[in-house]
Amino acid sequence: MSSVIESIETLLVDLPTIRPHKLSMTTMACQTLVIVRLRDSDGVEGLGEGTTIGGLAYGPESPESIKRNIDSYLAPLLIGQSASAVATLRARLDRHARGNAIAKSALETALLDAQGKRLGLPMAELLGGARHDHLPVLWTLASGDTARDIDEAFQRLEQRRHCDFKLKIGANAVDDDVRHVAAIKAALGERASVRVDVNQAWSESTAVRGIAALQAAGIELIEQPVSAREHAGLVRLAKRFEVPMLADEAVADARDGFALAAAGFSGAYALKIAKAGGPRGALALAEVAQAAGIGLYGGTLLEGTIGTAASLHAWATLPELAWGSEMFGPLLLKDDIVAEPLAYGEFGVELPKGPGLGIALDEDKLAHYARR
Ligand SMILES: O=C(O)C[C@H]1C=CC(=O)O1
Ligand SMILES: [Mn+2]
């Protein structure tokens, strides 16, 4: 008898950040992880995570909606079904529930983790096999203070933890943001690369002015300068400037990626398991990007270790991440809920070993940080 899914538990876990993390739409002091524990009739447990940024500030799913929609709608679609049929189960979720990509990503991760444990294979093997076991990871400077960001960048460089930096801008007037970014780039010089993420904050005309100045300051990549829905504007910016554009909020899944490429976009796509409804959807977007000659970037919604590990297993199967990755989420958090943290070093992170995600929970820490 093949194993069936017996229960699915969801927990909200609130973890403080090491410092305020300032984005165009919110400033974070805490991150809320939605942790999924899926138990199968053969005793195997699969772990998953669905995490967003700033409640409803970043996107249409909040931690509370993710938990509630899994509990009320998505989990009942899976309970009693054959646990190994990951693709069929994932299609079942899409057939009966619209949207809710983050909730679906958490469940797909838990299904893959359980299946990997059952077969004794790492999750990357289920996704085609790892081509890399160490992935590059940048750091996001977003304290809101120029001098503090510069200090932080030099610390990270000296630790050999990160040598590429992403600056979060768009909350301030464009001239102030440009001054901030140019000062950091000037302080770091050739020792580090600097890119920016505007998180949709600019109109197209502001973007033209801001990007011209950022390009002159030596910034290497401009992430999501305009609204996610402004595909035509993003294409115009990509054609206008030498500095490449990175589409993030504009491309959730393979269909978005196809539409943007067909509209004439060139540059790079940020892959996120949360946007694409799971690791498999994110890899489908990667296929479209590769077919269109668009570069790949391993993105995060600032997940903790479980969501980050799931993403790493997916990115490890790709031939190349031309723009590296930002899988630093766990490093932004003061504490963790896993027994063994991910191994960061040499400007990147190791792909975890062992079956499934290769991650085990620390039950005491989980109980301590779980919301009651
Ligand atoms: O890229 C985003 O939009 C979300 C995120 C990734 C890194 C970070 O600091 O925020
Ligand atoms: Mn982004």
Side-chain angles (χ1 to χ4, degrees):
M1 236 310 261
S2 72
S3 174
V4 300
I5 301 168
E6 274 190 354
S7 69
I8 295 174
E9 182 189 1
T10 53
L11 296 144
L12 292 170
V13 175
D14 296 303
L15 288 167
T17 58
I18 55 172
R19 57 150 168 76
H21 197 62
K22 189 173 179 202
L23 295 81
S24 73
M25 80 305 285
T26 190
T27 300
M28 300 164 61
C30 160
Q31 178 58 308
T32 303
L33 323 177
V34 186
I35 301 299
V36 168
R37 306 186 76 165
L38 176 147
R39 295 182 185 93
D40 295 334
S41 56
D42 55 6
V44 173
E45 179 182 61
L47 302 175
E49 177 184 340
T51 291
T52 185
I53 291 172
L56 282 171
Y58 194 93
E61 290 177 270
S62 71
E64 294 77 11
S65 85
I66 293 165
K67 174 174 167 46
R68 169 59 92 171
N69 289 344
I70 291 175
D71 293 350
S72 299
Y73 297 99
L74 302 176
L77 292 167
L78 302 181
I79 305 291
Q81 303 286 317
S82 167
S84 314
V86 178
T88 303
L89 293 170
R90 188 59 194 74
R92 184 172 164 81
L93 294 180
D94 280 343
R95 197 162 64 247
H96 295 282
R98 292 181 198 271
N100 289 278
I102 304 178
K104 289 172 180 173
S105 174
L107 290 169
E108 183 178 299
T109 298
L111 290 168
L112 288 168
D113 183 38
Q115 181 69 350
K117 286 170 175 162
R118 195 157 24 244
L119 299 176
L121 296 173
M123 190 186 286
E125 298 280 308
L126 303 183
L127 298 170
R131 301 175 68 167
H132 310 277
D133 53 16
H134 184 265
L135 288 118
V137 180
L138 62 65
W139 180 250
T140 295
L141 300 167
S143 74
D145 179 89
T146 310
R148 189 169 173 188
D149 281 358
I150 292 172
D151 274 358
E152 204 173 285
F154 278 110
Q155 269 178 37
R156 297 298 185 266
L157 271 170
E158 267 141 44
Q159 296 168 306
R160 299 182 66 78
R161 230 190 215 181
H162 310 280
C163 57
D164 304 305
F165 298 98
K166 160 161 150 174
L167 313 190
K168 287 291 195 178
I169 60 172
N172 306 312
V174 61
D175 295 330
D176 295 336
D177 271 345
V178 167
R179 256 193 301 279
H180 166 77
V181 174
I184 293 173
K185 177 62 193 162
L188 290 168
E190 293 306 307
R191 292 189 60 191
S193 78
V194 175
R195 58 185 77 180
V196 298
D197 189 355
V198 193
N199 281 119
Q200 317 185 58
W202 288 342
S203 66
E204 193 175 339
S205 56
T206 302
V208 167
R209 202 154 64 81
I211 294 168
L214 292 169
Q215 180 172 284
I219 300 314
E220 64 159 7
L221 188 66
I222 310 290
E223 183 168 341
Q224 199 63 53
V226 293
S227 161
R229 301 178 72 180
E230 279 287 342
H231 274 199
L234 193 59
V235 169
R236 282 191 290 270
L237 293 169
K239 289 191 170 147
R240 181 172 186 135
F241 289 102
E242 243 167 64
V243 59
M245 302 296 135
L246 175 79
D248 182 7
E249 289 92 323
V251 281
D253 58 16
R255 277 179 182 231
D256 293 336
F258 178 76
L260 192 59
F265 180 80
S266 67
Y269 286 167
L271 311 173
K272 292 183 180 171
I273 62 170
K275 290 191 296 187
R280 293 165 63 257
L283 291 176
L285 171 59
E287 292 286 348
V288 169
Q290 287 170 277
I294 287 168
L296 302 179
Y297 176 58
T300 180
L301 267 189
L302 302 177
E303 289 100 347
T305 299
I306 293 168
T308 300
S311 309
L312 292 172
H313 281 283
W315 312 159
T317 68
L318 295 167
E320 189 198 17
L321 291 170
W323 295 96
S325 93
E326 57 185 14
M327 308 319 300
F328 66 82
L331 299 174
L332 189 65
L333 305 175
K334 263 195 190 140
D335 206 351
D336 212 332
I337 53 159
V338 301
E340 258 217 58
L342 292 170
Y344 287 92
E346 287 309 304
F347 310 112
V349 66
E350 298 289 321
L351 181 67
K353 293 187 178 54
L357 288 166
I359 299 293
L361 288 169
D362 178 324
E363 298 288 350
D364 294 337
K365 290 273 186 72
L366 181 67
H368 181 256
Y369 289 107
R371 200 182 288 180
R372 271 176 273 271

